[in-house]
Amino acid sequence: RTGISGTLHRVAAITNRYGAVTGYTVRIGRYLRHVATPLRDLIFTPKSSLAFFGPPGSGKSTLIRSVTAMLAEAYGPRL
């Protein structure tokens, strides 16, 4: 497995039990900066919890990256 420097993209090789490469998995990471802005009040409410549910490809990871970026701006890079 390896990442593409400076991006959220990742490439992983699929191998068989003998170690021969039989395929590749490519993950294209998306980062949209202000996706979580409508949730700002909920995110910064003390002692609150959020859960994100949805089908694959609906944007859960993108939303969590945006939430993390907002928290890092407020509290510094060490959350």
Side-chain angles (χ1 to χ4, degrees):
R1 181 183 299 188
T2 185
I4 299 172
S5 188
T7 70
L8 297 171
H9 308 326
R10 186 175 64 227
V11 178
I14 301 169
T15 59
N16 63 15
R17 62 182 165 174
Y18 304 109
V21 175
T22 58
Y24 293 96
T25 301
V26 179
R27 193 236 188 249
I28 306 298
R30 293 177 291 186
Y31 176 66
L32 304 172
R33 186 161 174 82
H34 298 288
V35 172
T37 301
L39 302 176
R40 183 181 271 298
D41 292 339
L42 293 172
I43 292 167
F44 289 106
T45 300
K47 296 186 180 181
S48 66
S49 298
L50 294 174
F52 300 108
F53 297 94
S58 62
K60 297 177 299 294
S61 296
T62 302
L63 180 61
I64 291 169
R65 284 186 189 103
S66 181
V67 167
T68 304
M70 288 174 63
L71 292 171
E73 287 176 6
Y75 299 115
R78 299 186 67 159
L79 302 177

